[in-house]
Every structure is written in C-alpha cells, then in structure tokens.
Amino acid sequence: MVPILDKEDFQFLQEGLPFYTQLEPAQQARLRQECARLSYRQGDKLHRGSQDCAGLMLVRSGRLRVYILSQSGREITLYRLLEWDICLFSAACIFRDINFEVWIEAERGSEVILIPTALFGELSQQNIAVADTVNHLIASRFSDVMWVMEQVLFMSFDKRLALFLLEQQAIEGSGRMELTHDMIANHLGTAREVVTRMLKYFQGEGMVRLSRGMIEIVDEGRLRALAG
C-alpha cells in the first residue's frame, strides 16, 4: 500500500511547490487526497525512460540521479536532484514536445512525494501558476543539459573529472568520498579505464588519494586550477 501524506508530508508539499498558494481550495484538497510518499533504496530505479510516467516528484530526502542511456548501455548523468528539488521528467509523458528518454535512480536512500500524472496534467491545464512553474523547470533543466553537452563536446577529460570531483565534494560536504571508478564513468559517460588512468595521474600529481571505493581530495587548490 502506498503511504498517504501525513501532516508533515503535506506541509513539505505546500512549502516545496511554488504554485501551491495559487491553487484553488478544491485543487489543494485533491493534492492532499491523491499525492503519496514513496521510499526508495540506493540503486532503485524511479523512472525507466518511456516505460514510466509516474507523475511529478518532489524530493523529500536523499539524492536522485537523472541520466540518459545509450543503446550500447553507456550512461551519462544530466543532473542530480537533492532535497526540495522537483523532478519534472518523471511526468514527461504529459508534455508533447519532450521526446527524449531519461532514467532516474536513487543515488542514496530517498523519499519523494508524488503528484500523480493525471492530477498534475489537470493542474497544468487549469492553473496558469502551475504552467509557469513547468516552463521555469524546463528552462532550468535545459540549461543543466546544455552544460553537460558543453563539457562533453568542448572540455578535456581531465578538466571534466576535476569539475566532477569538486561538485561531488560540495554535495557530500567532505573531500573524502565513497566513489568507485565505475560510478564516475557512469556519471561522465566514458569507460572505466579512462577514469582509472586519469585518477592515477591526479594521484601522481598529489591532487587526490585513492583507496578501495574511496577518493580523497588532498590538494583542492590544484584541482580547482585544473577545473578552471
């Protein structure tokens, strides 16, 4: 049975939706009745390309990864979603002009509040504030995707890896991070061997320290200089 929203969940939903205060009372009541809190373990898939269209997700806790998957099975991360972030592409089927597939997985244990597709579609059509929020989210995510494409097309891999490690440090709040070479390869859309070779170079230059399943930044200044 899908957990319904308790008082704290609903308070979180009200604070997390930019358009909530501009909904009609009846629309607010439907959110309370039809939304659900869903829990996921690390590695769980929340959205599998065109196979799923669950609805709009508001991240209550944890961290999600949004990525694309090639026919050969190679992944590349488009962006991550943290607490309070809204996941739009989990409801992409209601937008006719969005025709590319994304996958979403839990990078760590996560909880999301789900607005079902049918309800979200109705709200988008009935309320201009919801439509404005959707447009803002699409523009924001498009910027994220273009930043990834700029890195892939125009940046050397050593700079991309340095940027990723610094971003990961900011997310984790620590320079000592639980990261495997496979995980980094999936984030950056490259082969594990390429990641391993560059990390060994970073270690040889004194920028990082490597151990099994761990990477520690030991010279943040040089890493930032490399990242530009």
Side-chain angles (χ1 to χ4, degrees):
M1 181 177 180
V2 176
I4 61 174
L5 302 187
D6 60 22
K7 184 177 179 180
E8 290 185 0
D9 292 331
F10 191 58
Q11 181 67 31
F12 187 89
L13 183 69
Q14 293 176 61
E15 295 175 3
L17 294 180
F19 53 79
Y20 180 82
T21 58
Q22 299 179 64
L23 295 176
E24 298 294 332
Q27 294 172 329
Q28 295 176 355
R30 287 194 64 191
L31 283 175
R32 181 67 181 266
Q33 295 165 3
E34 299 182 33
C35 291
R37 172 172 40 84
L38 305 176
S39 299
Y40 297 94
R41 296 169 299 180
Q42 182 176 349
D44 282 352
K45 299 292 188 292
L46 287 71
H47 182 79
R48 300 172 182 268
S50 60
Q51 301 175 43
D52 296 326
C53 190
L56 192 77
M57 294 181 180
L58 174 62
V59 182
R60 198 178 186 326
S61 63
R63 186 168 76 231
L64 309 182
R65 179 171 79 102
V66 180
Y67 64 99
I68 53 177
L69 186 65
S70 72
Q71 291 184 346
S72 63
R74 179 166 292 181
E75 303 173 7
I76 184 168
T77 298
L78 300 178
Y79 52 87
R80 264 86 74 83
L81 296 166
L82 308 178
E83 185 179 359
W84 297 105
D85 283 337
I86 296 174
C87 185
L88 180 70
F89 288 126
S90 52
C93 62
I94 71 171
F95 307 113
R96 289 177 298 176
D97 296 330
I98 297 179
N99 55 17
F100 65 92
E101 296 186 357
V102 299
W103 291 57
I104 305 169
E105 73 171 8
E107 274 200 304
R108 58 176 56 176
S110 302
E111 287 190 333
V112 304
I113 295 178
L114 175 70
I115 303 176
T117 301
L119 175 56
F120 179 59
E122 290 179 28
L123 294 177
S124 299
Q125 294 175 0
Q126 296 169 358
N127 192 298
I128 189 64
V130 181
D132 286 345
T133 296
V134 168
N135 290 335
H136 174 76
L137 287 171
I138 290 175
S140 176
R141 296 313 173 201
F142 180 74
S143 296
D144 292 336
V145 172
M146 290 305 298
W147 169 236
V148 171
M149 296 307 299
E150 180 181 339
Q151 292 184 56
V152 172
L153 293 173
F154 302 121
M155 288 185 186
S156 60
F157 185 71
D158 58 346
K159 184 172 183 177
R160 289 182 63 207
L161 181 56
L163 283 167
F164 172 79
L165 293 176
L166 291 168
E167 177 189 27
Q168 193 70 20
Q169 176 184 240
I171 291 173
E172 298 286 356
S174 171
R176 182 172 171 81
M177 302 163 287
E178 293 186 16
L179 279 173
T180 67
H181 298 193
D182 282 324
M183 290 166 63
I184 297 174
N186 286 339
H187 279 296
L188 299 182
T190 189
R192 181 187 185 279
E193 294 76 14
V194 175
V195 174
T196 298
R197 186 162 55 247
M198 190 59 67
L199 284 174
K200 287 183 177 178
Y201 169 74
F202 283 7
Q203 180 171 247
E205 292 295 308
M207 290 183 281
V208 303
R209 182 179 298 115
L210 306 177
S211 56
R212 187 174 183 84
M214 299 290 297
I215 298 174
E216 183 179 0
I217 295 176
V218 295
D219 192 336
E220 182 178 340
R222 289 191 63 190
L223 206 60
R224 288 193 179 279
L226 176 59

